[in-house]
Amino acid sequence: MSQRSSYSPIPLVTAAALALLAGGACKTVVLPGDSGGGGETESTEGTGPGSDSVGTTDGGATGSEQPGDANCGELSAKTLDILDVNCSKCHGPDSAALGSINYITNLDALISNGKVVPGEPNNSAIYRRMSAEMAPMPPESETQRPSEDDIRAVEQWIGECAGVTGCADNPWMTRTQVIDLIRNDLLNTQEISADARPFIRYFSLVHLYNYGWCKEEIDIYRHALSKLANSLSNEIKVVAPVPIDADQLIFRIDIRDYDWDAPGRVLDPETGTFTEQFKDTWELIAAKDPYAIEFIGDSAEDVKQATGTKFFLLQADAFVEVAAQPPLYHDVLRIPLTRQELEASFGIDVDFNIQEEIDTNPNRVARAAFHESGVSENHRVIERHDFPNASNRVYWISYDFISNAGEANVFVDPFNFVEAGSEIIYSLPNGLQGYMIVANDGRRIDDAPIQIVQDKNAPDGVVRNGKSCMGCHNVGMINKEDDLRWEVDQNLGEGDFDDVELDAIRALYPQRDDYNILLQLDADRFNLAVKAAGVPLGGNKEPIVTVFNAFDEDVEIRRAAAELWTTESTLREKLGQLSPDLDDLGKSQTGVRRDVFTAAYADAICQLKVGKTKACE
C-alpha cells in the first residue's frame, strides 16, 4: 500500500477580520497626565536640491477637548473594525461604491463628506442607517450585520470622539532629522562596532507620524515589521528590529540576523535559472521596492559610505507590501521551484515516511482528514512530518480537492486519493513558519486556484503565498479535529476497509487527542517565536495582513506628502510639476488609488528633489 507522491498545500485562509487603519488624523485624546501639543511650532520652508520642506503647524489637542470618558484611540479602532467587517463589501475602496460611498473605512472622509456629524449621532447618516428599524444598513438580507453593541460603539464614537484630534498636529519630522539620527546611531560605538556597520540597515515609520497617526495606530505597523522580517529569516534566532528614536519610528536591523547578508538572487520560474543577482538579500529587497530612495546630502553620504549601500532606509509598510507576497517572498526565503526540491533540502522523503509509518508506526508522520475545513469547499487532508535531526522543526502538507467524488474522496480511499493542489507549511530555523503553494504536480505557484480555496481577508478572495498564509495562521497551526479516524473507530466511515487497511489507517491517522497534542506543540513553538519578536499573541488583527491591506487603501494628499517627505502645502504647490496621474490628490477627498501613486512615486521623488530613484536617470 503506497502513497502517491503528488501532494502539496494550498493556503488556508481564515484569518480574523482586519481593521484597515485608513483615514487621516488620529482620533486619540491625550489622557490626563500626558503632555499634549501646545502653542505653535515654527518652521521654515526649505529650498534647493535635497532640502526639506516644513510647514507651520498648530498645537495638538488636549484631553479637555474630549466631552466624555471614552478612550478615543480604542473606540476609533473599534469603529473602523465594525465598518470594515460589516460595510466595506459595498462601500469600501474596492467595492461597487453603492450610494457613491467608497470610503467607509476612512473616518475623516466620512466627517468631511457629511456622513458623520461630530457630536450628533442622530444627525449622522451612517448611524441613522445602521440603527434604523425600517430598511437598515446593511440590509437585513445580509448575513454579516453589526450587533447592537457594534451600533452603540459607533454611536459613542460619533458622540464623543469624531473630530477630536490628538496627533494630527505632530511636529513635522524632516528627512534631514531622520538621516542625522541614523548617522548618529551608526557612529555610536557602544551600540555598533565599526566592523558591524556594513551590515546595518534601517526601516522608517516616520511617514505615519507625519501623516498624523498616534502611537496606538502605528503599533501594529511595528509588530508587522518585526514579524515579517523574522518570517523571512533563515537564521536560528528571532531578532526584533531596534528603535533608535524615542517615538519608535526608525528601526535598526543587522542583516546578518536574518541571513540577508547572503547573495540576493531572482529565480525565474519558467527557466529555473537566476536572472538577477545582488551582493546581498537587502539589495534584492531594495531593488524590488518601488518606494526605495537613495537619499542625498552630507549626512546621507556618510551613512552610505559606512553601510556600503545606497539604500540604507526603507519605508516599513512598503516593505511589508512587497516582501510578504511573491515573487519577493519566494526569493528572500530562497524557496525552490518544486515541493520535491524543498523536501530534499530538508532531508524529508514523504513517500518513504508514509510507508514506514504504515509498516512500523514510528510516530514520525501524522495525517488527518476533514469533511469541512473552513478554507476549502471540499474535503481536506493535512499531514505532519518530523524533520530529521531537528526536534524543533516540522513539515506540514495539505491536500486540497476540486470535488469530493471518485479519486478525490479521501474518506473512501485514505491512501491513494488524487488532490488538485497543496499548501506546505514548514518551521523556519527560528520557530516561525515558511509557506509554499504547489499545483498537483508539486510545482510552486504564487496563487491558489480560487475555485478550491479563498482568502476571506483579500478583496479579490485570492489566496497568495506568504501573506494569505500568515493571516490564516496567526497563531500557528490551527487546531482542527480529524474526521476520518474518528468515523472509522465509530464504524461510521464511508469506506469498506479490510483489517490490513484498518491497521494502516490507525497507524497513519492518529486519534483526535493525540493529533491535537501535536498541533498544540507546533502552535506553542510558533507563538514563542512570535512573542520573541515583540508581537502580541492572538487578537483579531494579524499584523502583516492588516498592514498589507491598509497599504493598498487610496492615498489622499496628506498621506502622499508624508510618503514623499514633504508637507501638504508644498505638495499642493508642486502638483503641477508631477505626473498628471496625481492631479486628483488636489481635487478629491479620497485622493488617488495606491497603484496609481506607486507608479508615479519614483518620478515624484526626483521632481521634488528628495533623493534619487531609477526615474532620475
Side-chain angles (χ1 to χ4, degrees):
M1 196 176 299
S2 63
Q3 169 65 28
R4 296 178 60 259
S5 62
S6 172
Y7 344 111
S8 321
I10 269 182
L12 326 127
V13 187
T14 52
L18 41 93
L20 300 179
L21 301 177
C26 168
K27 299 294 185 265
T28 304
V29 170
V30 179
L31 300 176
D34 290 348
S35 58
E40 291 188 349
T41 303
E42 295 184 358
S43 57
T44 59
E45 289 286 323
T47 58
S51 65
D52 289 292
S53 301
V54 186
T56 301
T57 61
D58 295 324
T62 65
S64 61
E65 295 181 54
Q66 184 174 344
D69 295 325
N71 182 327
C72 287
E74 292 183 7
L75 194 53
S76 295
K78 184 175 183 179
T79 299
L80 279 173
D81 270 329
I82 294 165
L83 296 177
D84 177 51
V85 170
N86 296 286
C87 310
S88 61
K89 183 176 78 171
C90 296
H91 303 294
D94 294 307
S95 70
L98 299 182
S100 300
I101 300 176
N102 67 345
Y103 47 85
I104 198 70
T105 53
N106 187 330
L107 299 185
D108 284 341
L110 291 174
I111 295 170
S112 62
N113 288 314
K115 305 301 181 183
V116 167
V117 180
E120 301 181 33
N122 290 326
N123 287 327
S124 299
I126 293 295
Y127 172 71
R128 289 202 313 269
R129 295 305 305 275
M130 292 178 72
S131 60
E133 293 185 8
M134 298 284 291
M137 293 296 288
E140 293 179 336
S141 58
E142 291 289 331
T143 56
Q144 179 61 57
R145 305 196 71 256
S147 66
E148 291 183 6
D149 287 343
D150 290 340
I151 295 172
R152 280 194 293 270
V154 172
E155 179 185 21
Q156 185 183 12
W157 171 75
I158 294 173
E160 301 186 29
C161 296
V164 177
T165 59
C167 303
D169 297 313
N170 286 335
W172 192 268
M173 194 170 183
T174 70
R175 66 179 180 278
T176 296
Q177 290 173 301
V178 171
I179 295 170
D180 283 345
L181 279 168
I182 290 172
R183 180 181 181 276
N184 293 338
D185 183 64
L186 273 172
L187 295 177
N188 184 348
T189 55
Q190 291 185 339
E191 291 288 335
I192 304 169
S193 68
D195 291 341
R197 288 174 191 158
F199 304 101
I200 301 301
R201 305 289 185 269
Y202 297 87
F203 287 104
S204 171
L205 292 169
V206 170
H207 60 292
L208 299 179
Y209 174 86
N210 284 345
Y211 181 39
W213 281 12
C214 299
K215 179 184 183 298
E216 293 85 355
E217 287 177 297
I218 301 176
D219 272 344
I220 199 166
Y221 284 72
R222 299 179 178 103
H223 301 152
L225 171 63
S226 183
K227 187 176 179 183
L228 182 59
N230 283 286
S231 295
L232 293 172
S233 171
N234 282 310
E235 284 294 340
I236 62 173
K237 292 183 179 179
V238 171
V239 182
V242 178
I244 68 168
D245 63 310
D247 292 310
Q248 299 185 11
L249 302 170
I250 309 164
F251 289 83
R252 178 206 318 135
I253 67 166
D254 186 322
I255 59 175
R256 294 174 296 183
D257 290 334
Y258 312 99
D259 193 35
W260 293 356
D261 55 321
R265 301 187 296 181
V266 175
L267 181 59
D268 185 339
E270 298 299 325
T271 65
T273 61
F274 294 109
T275 57
E276 297 179 77
Q277 302 204 41
F278 302 85
K279 71 170 186 176
D280 57 45
T281 302
W282 176 270
E283 294 300 310
L284 165 62
I285 294 169
K288 302 304 176 182
D289 183 349
Y291 289 78
I293 303 171
E294 179 187 352
F295 291 99
I296 53 180
D298 290 344
S299 289
E301 292 303 319
D302 290 344
V303 176
K304 285 187 279 188
Q305 183 175 357
T307 57
T309 179
K310 295 177 180 179
F311 305 103
F312 55 82
L313 176 67
L314 295 180
Q315 182 176 312
D317 54 351
F319 160 74
V320 170
E321 201 275 340
V322 73
Q325 64 177 326
L328 193 54
Y329 176 80
H330 291 150
D331 288 329
V332 173
L333 273 179
R334 299 192 283 281
I335 296 174
L337 293 180
T338 68
R339 171 178 75 84
Q340 292 81 4
E341 292 174 88
L342 183 71
E343 292 167 358
S345 72
F346 299 149
I348 292 173
D349 186 329
V350 167
D351 286 344
F352 175 84
N353 289 352
I354 290 171
Q355 193 61 55
E356 182 185 46
E357 198 66 40
I358 291 171
D359 293 341
T360 63
N361 197 20
N363 293 318
R364 297 192 186 115
V365 181
R367 182 186 282 178
F370 321 109
H371 288 292
E372 297 177 0
S373 73
V375 177
S376 174
E377 295 294 324
N378 301 300
H379 296 160
R380 194 160 218 254
V381 177
I382 61 174
E383 183 175 287
R384 180 186 189 271
H385 293 254
D386 288 338
F387 259 65
N389 304 317
S391 61
N392 65 331
R393 299 184 69 183
V394 291
Y395 177 87
W396 285 89
I397 185 168
S398 75
Y399 307 105
D400 295 279
F401 306 96
I402 204 162
S403 79
N404 291 331
E407 292 182 319
N409 192 343
V410 62
F411 288 89
V412 172
D413 187 346
F415 307 104
N416 298 302
F417 50 80
V418 178
E419 73 281 1
S422 301
E423 180 192 36
I424 292 164
I425 304 174
Y426 62 94
S427 303
L428 295 170
N430 63 13
L432 291 171
Q433 292 177 168
Y435 306 94
M436 184 181 188
I437 305 171
V438 298
N440 62 356
D441 61 357
R443 192 161 185 83
R444 189 189 80 192
I445 54 178
D446 294 348
D447 307 331
I450 198 166
Q451 68 269 28
I452 299 177
V453 289
Q454 297 86 39
D455 182 348
K456 297 176 183 178
N457 291 324
D460 58 5
V462 174
V463 171
R464 291 184 173 84
N465 195 33
K467 70 98 178 175
S468 292
C469 306
M470 294 177 203
C472 180
H473 294 277
N474 186 20
V475 292
M477 296 307 301
I478 300 169
N479 197 325
K480 179 73 176 175
E481 291 197 325
D482 166 73
D483 293 323
L484 193 149
R485 168 69 183 272
W486 184 86
E487 290 177 0
V488 166
D489 287 346
Q490 303 299 317
N491 294 317
L492 298 174
E494 296 179 39
D496 182 15
F497 306 119
D498 60 28
D499 289 344
V500 173
E501 289 171 322
L502 288 172
D503 288 344
I505 289 171
R506 292 185 174 114
L508 190 57
Y509 292 80
Q511 291 183 325
R512 285 179 172 179
D513 287 348
D514 294 334
Y515 203 76
N516 290 341
I517 289 171
L518 296 174
L519 285 165
Q520 192 61 52
L521 176 68
D522 296 346
D524 289 345
R525 185 185 300 115
F526 172 84
N527 285 316
L528 281 174
V530 172
K531 186 176 180 180
V535 179
L537 299 179
N540 68 339
K541 291 188 289 187
E542 196 286 321
I544 294 169
V545 171
T546 301
V547 170
F548 185 99
N549 286 331
F551 186 76
D552 284 337
E553 286 283 290
D554 291 352
V555 183
E556 52 88 30
I557 193 163
R558 179 168 178 162
R559 175 66 178 259
E563 294 192 22
L564 289 166
W565 294 91
T566 190
T567 60
E568 181 179 341
S569 59
T570 299
L571 181 56
R572 286 188 183 275
E573 291 172 7
K574 298 186 177 182
L575 266 178
Q577 302 172 24
L578 307 181
S579 168
D581 292 338
L582 299 181
D583 285 350
D584 279 349
L585 283 173
K587 302 174 184 176
S588 169
Q589 288 283 351
T590 54
V592 300
R593 290 180 61 89
R594 170 59 74 173
D595 58 348
V596 172
F597 183 71
T598 298
Y601 184 84
D603 182 68
I605 289 293
C606 301
Q607 297 300 324
L608 294 170
K609 298 181 172 57
V610 171
K612 299 177 184 178
T613 67
K614 292 178 181 178
C616 303
E617 297 172 357

